[in-house]
Amino acid sequence: MQPFISLLAPQRDTSSPLYLQIANSLVSAIRSGHLLPGSKLPGTRELAKQLKVHRKTVIAAYNELYAQSWTEVLPQKGTRVARNLPEIKAKTWSKEPDSSFEGTITVPFYKMPPPSPFTPMHPVITPHLILDEGIADNRLAPLDLLFREYRSRLKHSYTNRTVQGALAAGSPLLRESLVPYFGETRGLSIQPSNILITQGAQMSIYLAASLLIRPGDYVLVAEPNYFLANKVFEQLGAKLLKIPADDQGIDLQAAEICCKKHRISMMYVIPHHHHPTTVTLSPERRMQLLELSAKYNFAILEDDYDYDFHYSSTPYLPLAGSKHNGRIIYLGSFSKLLSTSVRAGFMIAHKDFIDQVLRLRVLIDLRSDHLLGDSLAALINNGDLARYVKKANKIYHHRRDKLCELMDQQLKGAVNYKKPDGGMAVWVKFNPEYPLKDISVRASAKGLYLSNGEIYNTEQTSYNAVRIGFASLNTKEMEEAVQILKQAIFG
Amino acid sequence: MQPFISLLAPQRDTSSPLYLQIANSLVSAIRSGHLLPGSKLPGTRELAKQLKVHRKTVIAAYNELYAQSWTEVLPQKGTRVARNLPEIKAKTWSKEPDSSFEGTITVPFYKMPPPSPFTPMHPVITPHLILDEGIADNRLAPLDLLFREYRSRLKHSYTNRTVQGALAAGSPLLRESLVPYFGETRGLSIQPSNILITQGAQMSIYLAASLLIRPGDYVLVAEPNYFLANKVFEQLGAKLLKIPADDQGIDLQAAEICCKKHRISMMYVIPHHHHPTTVTLSPERRMQLLELSAKYNFAILEDDYDYDFHYSSTPYLPLAGSKHNGRIIYLGSFSKLLSTSVRAGFMIAHKDFIDQVLRLRVLIDLRSDHLLGDSLAALINNGDLARYVKKANKIYHHRRDKLCELMDQQLKGAVNYKKPDGGMAVWVKFNPEYPLKDISVRASAKGLYLSNGEIYNTEQTSYNAVRIGFASLNTKEMEEAVQILKQAIFG
């Protein structure tokens, strides 16, 4: 027995409970053949004494072994190592085993049009600092509160008490709590049946566009536009009609010329802080857009992802809050508001449209994480979300001003920008003598990631511009980042 | 001051911290006009005394108010209510405000083919008991460990230290840890570049099929088949060729007749515990399938969602572990393994295929929850996942036997079934004199949800059968459920 006991001596490390350490040592001893199938284990009292641990710890270890099928319990006789060990050894059956995915693919498959917007990088880049295109600061968002709610729901047996098919549109609790929430924050008067919970704004765009666009249809977009929205529409076979925009937003006279020439199915619009340029659509243009949409009967996909963050002004009520006869599909996301790791977006539309979208959604993605949805609902209902939005507005306001101040001081002569009303990023245009392609490489060598701006370019135009997010960095980080950027620009 | 103080008296309830209760009362007092903009708040010492709370609590409440912009702090003078209150009042601009989504939609949009697989129910059904179609028991899965990992990652600043585009294929840590995991459990020799993390098996099916199927293509499926896979293929324009199956799995001679007649793009196969029938594909048929796929050069979408749970036998190594020249796309899910609220699935394929799928994935759904991915990686690396799989196999084994025993005792003469080798459900066929449509309604009246089986029916066949999940119910719940079912059947 002595050599066997020495194998079991627990390390008393802090990473796993003592009983689990003992159980794992026993598993190792069984696996390595030190303990043979059928051999009797010492009594719990005896082993506890030998290992100098409480007997309860040994009992817990034995229970664990039994639960994992490593042991059998003999009435009146104690525990022995199972005669049929529980290792799941999968059966081989192939004449030509070849577990790799190397070589050349022989079957035909559809190739997606280049360029690839994102490619996974190996090794993954974890630079010292990142100037992102505008994401929330995980450190400010009430993620600890969100996951406290999450954890408390994990244990409830009711998590198995909902018919799974009923969750296809998202957490019922979240859809219910969004009714008063969108009433208060956006003046919308809706029902749960008008709401679909998605994994984020991108999925909302894809789903809505899939029902609105048939191959060959004409779609109006601003130029430049959110590049992944354009890619969705093109993927669905749309012909994009790119409309110029000024500091009031999209040029609706140019849009009407298109409407006269072609039957338009849909227009995509980002009314607050257009991506990438951060321009806000003016009230006059909003009115004109609604009139145009009614006159030519096209749908409006209103992507209001940036509604919550305003510093120099208050937001405008959504287009969806005006008379539109179901022509408007309104969408946004909690991922932008809270954290990129929180996957939850929404679509608000006419019930008949939601009913159809739902059918497509289950084909693409059965359902979202309903416990996350329930937890978000709790944060909405108890006011935590509204408190966070207030706080974040104050802090991000300060960070926007700080970034602009730093750019004025440090990057003078190289960049120009217009301070955005709100949102999380500044659209920074670099002067032609400072190509972003080179600056990005030089910054990267100094530990700062900055996009080279290629994702914003179109076939027609190279903008030599980039969105610089200010929300995710604190003052110190921002000072350091702009300092590196300065060196990358001026050498 | 006295009436104002009375407004503030904290409720000392337990749901929110005391300081927040005080802060919220102050906000209410400001909103209701009891405290006017510009008015001075009492000193923290004074208020603490009046409210009989610690001064630190009042300081925390005042800090909260300041963070939310409700107050201004005057040096040497204390705190006063902000003169510009921070209410974000959105601006109205519309001539025709109409915040509802009622009326008739005027714009054309694509209608998805009926029937709708799932419809959201209002009010959502939360029956006393549910016989689901085979989902994990949240109470057994190591969700507490998973979310302990999750929480510990929330605070790390590195969550902002990854370039977001690099996350499109899923958590890099998870993709790395799946390389040895799939090597050990499935004998696959792969690289992270062969792996895409999705939101679940359904998304993996949709993505892969989107690249493999062009409208008009022929696709081989078993009959009956997982209904949502069929719906995906039809949505993409495929013509389904439905192949009969026996207790060895799909009839490959029937499949070859189709191959001779039509150019086949793809075959969808569930090798372990076919959905819905739970049949396992025999080694001989596996071999034949591989040969057929090579001879006629079609792709195989191998949906191995049920690989982990085996009771009467050990699993077979995946088709993907044989020589296939990139023809096989292998997929599965952690949602089945752990909980329907854990949204994480995978696709394993040739790197060139993954590269293309990735481009489509970002259009549909930017990225998955990378913190969830990182947390899953931790559970894989520290062995918690493997331990859980062992335990769950033992418990689910017992539950399968229990369900079959109860059906034999209680439902004799009404149902017949074949005990499945593994998985989480039994395919239960009801005799024609007991129509599931009626039984489902009667069970529902007694507090038991059971699908009416319609989702399994096809145009050709009404099966009068249903999958009955045994994994999510403990013995007591199962006894009660079968007892109710008995009453619903025999009255």
Side-chain angles (χ1 to χ4, degrees):
Chain A
M1 185 57 73
Q2 215 44 51
F4 156 70
I5 293 294
S6 71
L7 287 172
L8 297 185
Q11 300 298 311
R12 296 189 186 273
D13 64 12
T14 50
S15 65
S16 64
L18 198 53
Y19 84 91
L20 216 50
Q21 292 181 47
I22 296 173
N24 288 344
S25 308
L26 279 163
V27 170
S28 300
I30 296 169
R31 278 195 163 141
S32 63
H34 285 88
L35 271 173
L36 291 173
S39 59
K40 206 161 160 295
L41 292 184
T44 51
R45 207 178 303 268
E46 183 193 335
L47 187 57
K49 207 174 146 193
Q50 298 253 16
L51 295 177
K52 300 190 180 67
V53 300
H54 197 282
R55 190 182 159 213
K56 274 188 187 161
T57 308
V58 175
I59 292 174
Y62 277 23
N63 285 342
E64 176 70 23
L65 286 178
Y66 179 71
Q68 290 184 34
S69 301
W70 291 103
T71 56
E72 295 160 348
V73 177
L74 306 175
Q76 319 290 332
K77 287 189 178 170
T79 298
R80 72 175 177 202
V81 178
R83 279 157 309 177
N84 298 309
L85 291 181
E87 282 295 79
I88 299 176
K89 275 274 177 248
K91 288 191 280 267
T92 311
W93 51 271
S94 178
K95 281 186 284 196
E96 293 186 277
D98 175 4
S99 59
S100 77
F101 281 78
E102 303 295 319
T104 312
I105 306 186
T106 58
V107 289
F109 60 97
Y110 176 75
K111 310 295 183 301
M112 296 285 292
S116 174
F118 302 122
T119 38
M121 297 172 245
H122 288 283
V124 168
I125 301 179
T126 48
H128 175 57
L129 282 168
I130 293 174
L131 286 174
D132 57 60
E133 57 155 27
I135 60 173
D137 190 338
N138 277 1
R139 296 167 294 189
L140 300 178
L143 299 177
D144 49 342
L145 297 178
L146 183 66
F147 289 99
R148 197 167 66 187
E149 296 289 344
Y150 202 110
R151 273 176 67 110
S152 80
R153 279 162 177 75
L154 279 177
K155 297 285 169 199
H156 286 203
S157 61
Y158 86 88
T159 55
N160 278 335
R161 285 276 169 83
T162 311
V163 177
Q164 295 291 313
L167 302 172
S171 148
L173 290 177
L174 180 56
R175 293 167 79 217
E176 269 160 36
S177 67
L178 285 178
V179 169
Y181 178 78
F182 285 132
E184 281 159 29
T185 60
R186 285 156 172 88
L188 299 179
S189 162
I190 51 175
Q191 297 300 316
S193 55
N194 295 119
I195 306 175
L196 175 74
I197 306 300
T198 63
Q199 302 282 4
Q202 187 68 35
M203 188 177 277
S204 301
I205 294 172
Y206 184 86
L207 288 171
S210 294
L211 294 204
L212 291 170
I213 298 173
R214 296 294 91 188
D217 277 7
Y218 288 95
V219 167
L220 294 176
V221 295
E223 168 67 21
N225 191 32
Y226 174 46
F227 60 100
L228 284 179
N230 279 4
K231 276 192 163 285
V232 168
F233 309 147
E234 285 170 341
Q235 182 62 26
L236 294 169
K239 292 178 186 157
L240 298 190
L241 299 171
K242 298 181 176 185
I243 311 294
D246 57 27
D247 60 359
Q248 302 289 302
I250 206 159
D251 177 346
L252 288 163
Q253 286 176 324
E256 180 149 23
I257 292 169
C258 291
C259 291
K260 283 180 177 157
K261 234 163 110 181
H262 303 286
R263 159 90 193 99
I264 307 297
S265 321
M266 190 193 99
M267 179 162 176
Y268 172 77
V269 61
I270 309 172
H272 288 110
H273 324 132
H274 182 73
H275 194 291
T277 61
T278 76
V279 169
T280 294
L281 191 66
S282 71
E284 295 70 27
R285 297 275 174 95
R286 283 167 190 255
M287 219 90 80
Q288 290 165 15
L289 174 56
L290 279 182
E291 283 162 15
L292 209 61
S293 146
K295 187 169 170 189
Y296 295 97
N297 196 31
F298 59 81
I300 297 175
L301 195 50
E302 182 178 16
D303 184 348
D304 212 4
Y305 76 100
D306 236 359
Y307 183 89
D308 295 292
F309 296 116
H310 283 82
Y311 319 123
S312 317
S313 64
T314 53
Y316 293 105
L317 286 172
L319 292 164
S322 296
K323 195 167 174 342
H324 57 72
N325 294 103
R327 271 187 299 267
I328 297 183
I329 290 98
Y330 184 80
L331 62 95
S333 148
F334 291 102
S335 311
K336 270 278 169 186
L337 187 59
L338 292 167
S339 162
T340 56
S341 72
V342 172
R343 303 310 300 158
F346 53 82
M347 180 194 301
I348 297 174
H350 194 286
K351 182 185 175 305
D352 295 351
F353 191 81
I354 294 288
D355 285 349
Q356 296 297 318
V357 165
L358 184 62
R359 295 184 184 188
L360 180 58
R361 193 265 163 79
V362 295
L363 300 188
I364 289 178
D365 174 41
L366 271 188
R367 67 179 77 88
S368 36
D369 178 351
H370 45 98
L371 292 186
L372 175 65
D374 290 354
S375 308
L376 278 171
L379 258 59
I380 289 170
N381 296 341
N382 68 18
D384 282 330
L385 192 76
R387 269 191 291 281
Y388 158 69
V389 172
K390 281 227 183 72
K391 271 197 211 183
N393 261 287
K394 192 164 176 177
I395 293 168
Y396 291 169
H397 184 164
H398 176 75
R399 289 183 180 177
R400 177 200 64 170
D401 292 347
K402 183 73 191 174
L403 175 63
C404 293
E405 183 193 312
L406 286 168
M407 289 199 294
D408 291 345
Q409 289 167 359
Q410 315 262 335
L411 311 185
K412 215 173 154 180
V415 302
N416 65 81
Y417 67 90
K418 194 167 177 297
K419 203 186 236 193
D421 284 348
M424 297 168 133
V426 183
W427 174 239
V428 182
K429 291 180 257 185
F430 283 67
N431 294 341
E433 60 268 41
Y434 301 106
L436 257 171
K437 202 160 61 71
D438 303 339
I439 292 168
S440 165
V441 171
R442 287 201 295 269
S444 179
K446 294 172 200 292
L448 173 73
Y449 174 85
L450 176 75
S451 162
N452 60 16
E454 259 177 42
I455 50 171
Y456 305 110
N457 293 341
T458 60
E459 277 168 45
Q460 293 81 36
T461 321
S462 286
Y463 288 96
N464 200 37
V466 72
R467 279 169 67 93
I468 297 190
F470 51 77
S472 65
L473 298 177
N474 64 30
T475 305
K476 192 172 154 292
E477 291 158 346
M478 204 182 278
E479 282 169 351
E480 204 184 334
V482 175
Q483 186 60 37
I484 297 177
L485 188 53
K486 181 186 179 181
Q487 291 164 14
I489 292 173
F490 301 112
Chain B
M1 185 57 73
Q2 216 44 49
F4 157 69
I5 293 292
S6 72
L7 287 172
L8 296 186
Q11 298 300 309
R12 293 191 189 273
D13 65 12
T14 49
S15 65
S16 64
L18 199 54
Y19 84 91
L20 215 53
Q21 292 183 45
I22 296 173
N24 288 344
S25 308
L26 278 162
V27 169
S28 299
I30 296 168
R31 277 194 164 142
S32 62
H34 285 90
L35 272 172
L36 291 173
S39 60
K40 209 161 159 291
L41 292 185
T44 52
R45 206 178 303 269
E46 184 192 334
L47 187 56
K49 207 173 145 194
Q50 298 252 15
L51 295 177
K52 299 191 180 64
V53 299
H54 197 283
R55 192 182 158 210
K56 275 187 186 161
T57 306
V58 175
I59 292 174
Y62 277 23
N63 285 342
E64 177 69 25
L65 286 178
Y66 180 71
Q68 291 184 34
S69 302
W70 291 103
T71 56
E72 295 162 346
V73 177
L74 305 175
Q76 320 289 334
K77 286 190 178 171
T79 298
R80 71 174 178 200
V81 178
R83 278 156 309 179
N84 298 309
L85 292 182
E87 282 295 79
I88 301 176
K89 275 274 177 245
K91 288 190 280 267
T92 311
W93 50 270
S94 178
K95 281 186 281 193
E96 293 185 278
D98 174 4
S99 58
S100 77
F101 281 78
E102 304 295 319
T104 313
I105 307 187
T106 58
V107 290
F109 61 98
Y110 176 74
K111 310 295 183 302
M112 296 285 291
S116 173
F118 302 122
T119 39
M121 298 171 246
H122 287 285
V124 168
I125 301 179
T126 49
H128 175 56
L129 282 167
I130 294 175
L131 285 174
D132 56 62
E133 57 154 27
I135 61 173
D137 190 339
N138 276 2
R139 295 166 295 188
L140 299 177
L143 299 177
D144 50 342
L145 298 176
L146 183 67
F147 288 99
R148 196 168 67 187
E149 296 289 343
Y150 202 110
R151 273 177 66 111
S152 81
R153 280 163 176 76
L154 280 176
K155 297 285 169 196
H156 286 203
S157 61
Y158 87 89
T159 55
N160 277 335
R161 283 277 169 82
T162 310
V163 176
Q164 296 290 312
L167 301 173
S171 148
L173 291 177
L174 180 56
R175 293 166 81 215
E176 270 161 36
S177 67
L178 286 178
V179 169
Y181 178 78
F182 285 132
E184 282 159 31
T185 59
R186 286 158 173 86
L188 300 178
S189 162
I190 51 174
Q191 298 299 316
S193 55
N194 296 118
I195 306 173
L196 175 74
I197 306 300
T198 62
Q199 302 281 5
Q202 187 67 35
M203 187 178 278
S204 301
I205 295 172
Y206 184 86
L207 288 170
S210 295
L211 295 204
L212 291 170
I213 297 171
R214 296 293 93 190
D217 278 7
Y218 288 95
V219 168
L220 294 177
V221 294
E223 167 66 23
N225 191 34
Y226 174 46
F227 61 99
L228 284 178
N230 279 4
K231 277 192 162 286
V232 168
F233 309 147
E234 285 171 341
Q235 181 62 25
L236 295 168
K239 292 177 186 157
L240 298 191
L241 299 171
K242 298 180 177 184
I243 312 294
D246 56 26
D247 60 358
Q248 304 289 301
I250 204 158
D251 177 346
L252 287 162
Q253 285 177 323
E256 180 149 23
I257 292 169
C258 292
C259 291
K260 283 179 177 158
K261 234 164 113 182
H262 303 287
R263 160 89 195 99
I264 306 297
S265 322
M266 188 193 100
M267 178 162 175
Y268 172 78
V269 59
I270 308 173
H272 288 110
H273 324 132
H274 180 73
H275 194 290
T277 61
T278 78
V279 169
T280 294
L281 191 65
S282 73
E284 295 69 30
R285 298 275 174 94
R286 283 166 192 255
M287 218 90 80
Q288 290 165 14
L289 175 56
L290 278 181
E291 282 162 16
L292 209 63
S293 146
K295 187 169 169 189
Y296 295 96
N297 196 32
F298 60 80
I300 297 175
L301 195 50
E302 183 179 14
D303 183 347
D304 212 4
Y305 77 99
D306 235 1
Y307 183 89
D308 294 292
F309 296 115
H310 283 82
Y311 320 122
S312 317
S313 65
T314 54
Y316 295 105
L317 287 171
L319 292 164
S322 295
K323 194 166 177 335
H324 57 73
N325 294 103
R327 271 187 298 267
I328 298 184
I329 290 96
Y330 184 81
L331 62 93
S333 146
F334 291 102
S335 310
K336 269 279 169 185
L337 188 58
L338 293 167
S339 161
T340 56
S341 72
V342 172
R343 303 311 300 159
F346 51 82
M347 181 194 301
I348 297 174
H350 194 286
K351 183 187 173 305
D352 296 352
F353 191 81
I354 294 288
D355 285 349
Q356 296 297 319
V357 166
L358 185 61
R359 294 184 184 187
L360 180 58
R361 193 262 162 78
V362 296
L363 300 188
I364 289 178
D365 174 41
L366 268 187
R367 67 179 78 87
S368 36
D369 177 351
H370 45 97
L371 292 187
L372 174 65
D374 290 355
S375 307
L376 277 171
L379 257 60
I380 289 170
N381 296 339
N382 68 19
D384 283 330
L385 193 74
R387 267 191 293 280
Y388 158 69
V389 172
K390 280 227 185 71
K391 271 197 214 182
N393 261 286
K394 193 165 178 176
I395 294 167
Y396 291 169
H397 184 164
H398 176 75
R399 289 183 179 177
R400 178 201 62 170
D401 292 347
K402 183 73 188 173
L403 175 62
C404 293
E405 184 193 313
L406 286 168
M407 288 198 295
D408 291 345
Q409 290 167 358
Q410 317 261 337
L411 312 183
K412 217 171 151 180
V415 303
N416 64 82
Y417 67 91
K418 195 171 175 292
K419 203 187 235 194
D421 285 348
M424 298 167 133
V426 182
W427 175 239
V428 182
K429 290 181 258 183
F430 283 66
N431 294 340
E433 60 267 40
Y434 301 105
L436 258 170
K437 202 160 60 71
D438 302 339
I439 293 169
S440 164
V441 171
R442 287 202 295 269
S444 179
K446 294 171 198 294
L448 173 73
Y449 174 86
L450 175 76
S451 162
N452 60 15
E454 260 177 39
I455 50 171
Y456 305 110
N457 294 341
T458 60
E459 277 169 44
Q460 293 79 37
T461 320
S462 286
Y463 288 95
N464 200 36
V466 72
R467 280 168 66 93
I468 297 191
F470 51 77
S472 63
L473 298 178
N474 64 30
T475 305
K476 192 173 154 290
E477 290 159 347
M478 205 181 279
E479 281 169 351
E480 203 184 336
V482 175
Q483 185 61 37
I484 297 176
L485 189 52
K486 181 186 178 181
Q487 291 165 13
I489 292 173
F490 302 111

